[in-house]
Amino acid sequence: MLALADRLANYKSHGFKSRAIASGKLVRVVGLTLEATGCKAPIGSLCTVETMSGDMEAEVVGFSGDNLFLMPSEQITGVLPGAKVTPLVGETGVPVGMELLGRVIDGVGNPLDGLGEIYTDQKSSFVAQTINPLARKPITEPLDVGLKAINGLLTVGKGQRIGLFAGSGVGKSVTLGMMTRGTTAQVVVVGLIGERGREVKEFIEEILGESGRQRSVVVAAPADSSPLMRLKGCQTALTIAEYFRDQGFDVLLLMDSLTRFAQAQREIALSVGEPPATKGYPPSVFAKLPALVERAGNGSENQGSITAFFTVLTEGDDLQDPIADAARAILDGHVVLSREMADAGHYPAIDVEKSVSRVMPQITDDQHLLMSKAVRQILSVCRKNQDLVSIGAYKPGTDPAIDSAFTLKPKLDQYLQQSMKDSVPYDMCINMLKQLLQVE
């Protein structure tokens, strides 16, 4: 984490201009929130708070009467009663440009990879303007992500927003890494929000790899970051993806995870006094989720696309979790990772029966759709009759559909499994599916 003076110097190098106005003082610290009086600043602006170890950066997240509620971007240490609070008036944002490719940054755009400062000629706001839905290009062509199960049976279109639903430890990060290496998208933006610090380095060095990193931008806000930094991390990843989309690139955005974004907003909202609504989540969480998700997608006719995968952590493998339920309603499809399949060594553990791509009928031909439907029927027949076959209650030859399904099941399992290092092009996935189903 850069010192505050270094961060402000970085802002100034990208056109950030600040001037101090009337200062106030700190009157209360409640949980994660600082309360200041005697100064005025708009919501979203920055302030500096005097501490025993130097100034600390905080953002205005609310107010009550003449008092401001501040959320610090780092741990609260060395804060004294009556500490000086100085608002900074000026435009903040994220430095954007081609210089970001291959770099790892924190939630507000500061480098974490030790490769020096990032100097760009342009800066974008954390919060983008709403796009007119009629100005967006329709989703008309598929995007290759290098995974057979997705390319063949859950085809994703350029500009689609899709959820990756899974519990902990079933291979979300590995699946995302496979897509970064196998996709045909020109730019990949990865947001690692609320993950363990160890996993951030492992994802970059082992899963992403050197080849994948060259065309990628990684935004990391680990679990020990403040709620504000985790919230900003998601917004920063979207801002960077929007920049490359506006330059005409096809962007693959991988956000891990949308649940951590919701939890960060919950911490902030509860700290400023917003009442909880659904299982401890205040209403603002469910307002911010669609605002974030809708930033992805296609641009206008002269722009590129953002194809986004938002991972959703299903606590206790419960797909009816409030965040999972809300995300499923605002996304263009969902891919479910099964713990049962992961426990059986089936990777990637994609449960095709429970997954759906809502734009697949628009971007694939009739033959491809029929093959996808046939595979789902085979999987359904096998699942429903597995117990009968296992205990020997079913006699071969009784039902031709069951016999055919269990004959094809081993080949289908082989098709759906894929090594972490392998990447299969879209056309090859379709041809392999034709051979499996013996389709001309």
Side-chain angles (χ1 to χ4, degrees):
M1 181 74 68
L2 292 176
L4 174 61
D6 294 332
R7 291 201 295 273
L8 291 179
N10 191 27
Y11 289 149
K12 292 177 181 179
S13 70
H14 295 96
F16 174 80
K17 304 295 182 184
S18 65
R19 60 180 177 88
I21 58 175
S23 299
K25 64 178 182 179
L26 199 64
V27 295
R28 191 166 64 161
V29 178
V30 181
L32 303 172
T33 311
L34 311 177
E35 189 173 338
T37 188
C39 55
K40 293 184 179 180
I43 290 179
S45 62
L46 291 176
C47 295
T48 58
V49 180
E50 185 181 27
T51 72
M52 295 182 64
S53 56
D55 287 344
M56 176 177 66
E57 181 183 339
E59 182 176 313
V60 180
V61 295
F63 60 84
S64 177
D66 293 332
N67 290 2
L68 295 179
F69 298 129
L70 309 175
M71 180 65 63
S73 59
E74 52 195 82
Q75 299 296 329
I76 301 177
T77 55
V79 179
L80 296 173
K84 183 180 179 182
V85 178
T86 306
L88 298 174
V89 177
E91 182 186 358
T92 61
V94 183
V96 291
M98 301 300 294
E99 295 83 358
L100 289 170
L101 292 177
R103 300 301 300 269
V104 182
I105 60 178
D106 68 6
V108 292
N110 300 306
L112 293 175
D113 49 16
L115 300 179
E117 291 294 332
I118 302 173
Y119 297 101
T120 64
D121 297 329
Q122 194 171 344
K123 179 164 55 67
S124 295
S125 172
F126 288 105
V127 181
Q129 294 183 348
T130 303
I131 300 177
N132 185 334
L134 299 181
R136 291 182 184 268
K137 292 182 297 185
I139 301 174
T140 57
E141 55 182 312
L143 177 72
D144 187 355
V145 295
L147 270 69
K148 292 181 289 185
I150 294 180
N151 281 345
L153 305 174
L154 303 166
T155 310
V156 174
K158 291 182 180 179
Q160 183 175 357
R161 289 79 55 94
I162 194 163
L164 192 64
F165 291 72
S168 57
V170 295
K172 293 190 305 296
S173 298
V174 174
T175 302
L176 294 180
M178 293 171 69
M179 286 192 279
T180 60
R181 292 192 300 270
T183 183
T184 54
Q186 297 153 309
V187 176
V188 179
V189 179
V190 182
L192 301 176
I193 311 301
E195 293 296 317
R196 292 182 288 271
R198 173 187 60 82
E199 288 188 342
V200 173
K201 187 170 184 179
E202 286 183 0
F203 182 89
I204 294 169
E205 295 184 355
E206 299 179 16
I207 299 177
L208 186 59
E210 189 62 33
S211 59
R213 186 173 171 179
Q214 291 176 358
R215 57 170 174 167
S216 303
V217 183
V218 179
V219 181
D224 59 349
S225 301
S226 69
L228 180 65
M229 190 63 75
R230 281 177 268 144
L231 198 73
K232 289 289 187 184
C234 293
Q235 296 173 341
T236 295
L238 262 299
T239 299
I240 293 171
E242 287 169 337
Y243 166 79
F244 286 107
R245 177 189 64 190
D246 294 345
Q247 305 305 308
F249 293 103
D250 289 324
V251 181
L252 177 63
L253 171 67
L254 306 174
M255 183 72 72
D256 188 13
S257 69
L258 196 63
T259 304
R260 305 301 187 197
F261 171 83
Q263 291 173 346
Q265 174 59 24
R266 177 176 63 180
E267 293 177 48
I268 294 174
L270 294 178
S271 295
V272 299
E274 187 178 352
T278 306
K279 290 191 176 180
Y281 287 98
S284 63
V285 172
F286 301 100
K288 282 186 173 289
L289 282 176
L292 182 78
V293 169
E294 284 296 321
R295 293 176 63 176
N298 281 335
S300 63
E301 292 297 332
N302 298 322
Q303 296 177 337
S305 64
I306 301 176
T307 306
F309 278 83
F310 296 94
T311 70
V312 180
L313 183 63
T314 52
E315 298 180 5
D317 296 329
D318 180 15
L319 292 177
Q320 306 308 317
D321 175 84
I323 300 304
D325 198 42
R328 197 163 46 244
I330 58 178
L331 293 169
D332 303 323
H334 52 273
V335 176
V336 177
L337 299 187
S338 164
R339 184 174 301 279
E340 183 180 353
M341 296 174 70
D343 291 343
H346 186 294
Y347 289 103
I350 297 175
D351 190 331
V352 176
E353 283 188 89
K354 294 182 180 179
S355 306
V356 65
S357 172
R358 294 179 182 171
V359 305
M360 186 174 177
Q362 305 169 25
I363 57 177
T364 57
D365 56 32
D366 292 341
Q367 185 184 59
H368 189 171
L369 282 175
L370 289 174
M371 289 192 297
S372 175
K373 182 179 179 181
V375 169
R376 288 176 180 273
Q377 290 173 341
I378 292 170
L379 293 174
S380 177
V381 168
C382 291
R383 176 179 54 81
K384 291 177 180 178
N385 295 279
Q386 182 64 52
D387 291 343
L388 291 176
V389 174
S390 297
I391 64 176
Y394 173 77
K395 295 182 179 180
T398 304
D399 189 331
I402 296 179
D403 294 339
S404 176
F406 277 95
T407 300
L408 287 173
K409 186 65 164 56
K411 295 181 181 179
L412 189 55
D413 285 341
Q414 186 178 3
Y415 174 84
L416 293 174
Q417 295 184 64
Q418 190 169 332
S419 170
M420 173 180 155
K421 301 293 185 181
D422 291 343
S423 177
V424 184
Y426 178 81
D427 291 339
M428 185 178 294
C429 293
I430 307 304
N431 291 332
M432 293 173 68
L433 199 56
K434 289 180 179 179
Q435 294 176 6
L436 189 151
L437 298 175
Q438 297 180 352
V439 175
E440 295 297 332

